[in-house]
């Protein structure tokens, strides 16, 4: 499998590997922008769906779900946890930008399965300040998806909670497995 980390150097048009990763990404953006054409769309997602997923680099949500630019809002964080900031984003997505459906995607082999809330205490011991946020660690991915669905379905700020579905993405097969909310 080729990743962006293995972009070759060489003829014109190839991204250089000199400098920092950020330098390389900015260079890639220059190449992207040179061929960019304004797609003429606004911020309202065409499919009226918001997807909350883990930030894991192995999840290519657009490819996995057959999505195109402009189809959805994508909200990502560690574990795909439904935190206050995710609720904030979903509320704006629904109330200001017209989404009606919410899809939650967690995955196999998530890094949060190997952490505990002790991580916060370790940070406090190291830096002298305890983080205000929860780690949202878990041991059972299916149960964590159920908890996330419940958080969305019961939040008073969200207008549309009748089409909230949760899935586990298998990082080995690429398949989604739907989680029964009960």
């Amino acid at each position: 499998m080729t990743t962006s980390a293995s972009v070759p150097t060489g003829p014109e048009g190839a991204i250089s590997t000199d400098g920092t990763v950020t330098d390389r990404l900015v260079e890639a953006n220059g190449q992207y922008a040179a061929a960019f054409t304004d797609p003429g769309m606004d911020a309202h997602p065409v499919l009226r769906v918001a997807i909350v997923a883990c930030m894991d680099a192995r999840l290519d949500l657009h490819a996995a779900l057959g999505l195109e630019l402009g189809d959805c809002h994508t909200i990502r964080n560690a574990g795909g946890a439904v935190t206050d900031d995710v609720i904030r984003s979903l509320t704006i997505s629904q109330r200001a930008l017209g989404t009606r459906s919410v899809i939650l995607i967690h995955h196999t082999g998530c890094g949060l399965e190997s952490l505990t809330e002790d991580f916060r205490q370790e940070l406090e011991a190291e830096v002298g300040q305890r983080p205000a946020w929860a780690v949202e660690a878990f041991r059972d991915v299916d149960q964590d998806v159920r908890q996330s669905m419940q958080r969305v379905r019961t939040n008073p700020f969200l207008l549309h909670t009748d089409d909230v579905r949760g899935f586990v993405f298998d990082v080995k097969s690429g398949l989604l497995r739907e989680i029964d909310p009960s």
Side-chain angles (χ1 to χ4, degrees):
M1 172 187 212
T2 302
T3 67
S4 61
S6 60
V7 172
T9 58
E12 276 191 46
I15 299 170
S16 97
T17 56
D18 297 334
T20 68
V21 171
T22 303
D23 292 336
R24 221 174 86 216
L25 297 176
V26 170
E27 183 180 341
N29 175 256
Q31 292 176 16
Y32 170 80
F36 184 78
T37 304
D38 179 0
M41 55 180 70
D42 66 18
H44 294 76
V46 173
L47 298 179
R48 297 169 59 152
V49 62
I51 299 169
V52 178
C54 185
M55 66 185 191
D56 192 292
R58 297 171 290 181
L59 277 67
D60 182 347
L61 296 173
H62 276 71
L65 301 174
L67 296 167
E68 299 292 330
L69 182 68
D71 282 349
C72 68
H73 283 158
T74 306
I75 305 159
R76 295 180 76 155
N77 67 17
V82 177
T83 61
D84 286 346
D85 196 56
V86 167
I87 294 295
R88 171 187 160 272
S89 294
L90 287 173
T91 301
I92 292 166
S93 179
Q94 287 189 357
R95 290 180 176 263
L97 297 166
T99 60
R100 298 291 179 262
S101 300
V102 178
I103 296 174
L104 306 168
I105 301 178
H106 296 203
H107 66 92
T108 58
C110 184
L112 286 184
E113 290 175 295
S114 64
L115 291 176
T116 67
E117 291 299 320
D118 292 341
F119 183 72
R120 293 174 69 218
Q121 293 168 335
E122 293 163 9
L123 285 172
E124 181 179 19
E126 180 182 329
V127 301
Q129 181 178 339
R130 187 177 197 139
W133 39 264
V135 175
E136 298 283 346
F138 59 89
R139 293 288 174 257
D140 180 337
V141 69
D142 291 18
Q143 185 55 37
D144 199 55
V145 172
R146 283 186 199 94
Q147 175 181 289
S148 294
M149 285 190 281
Q150 185 66 17
R151 285 179 180 175
V152 171
R153 288 185 172 141
T154 59
N155 193 281
F157 299 113
L158 299 174
L159 296 171
H160 306 285
T161 58
D162 55 323
D163 189 14
V164 177
R165 294 171 65 185
F167 300 86
V168 174
F169 178 86
D170 186 309
V171 298
K172 301 287 186 199
S173 71
L175 288 173
L176 288 176
R177 179 173 51 83
E178 188 158 10
I179 301 301
D180 183 343
S182 48

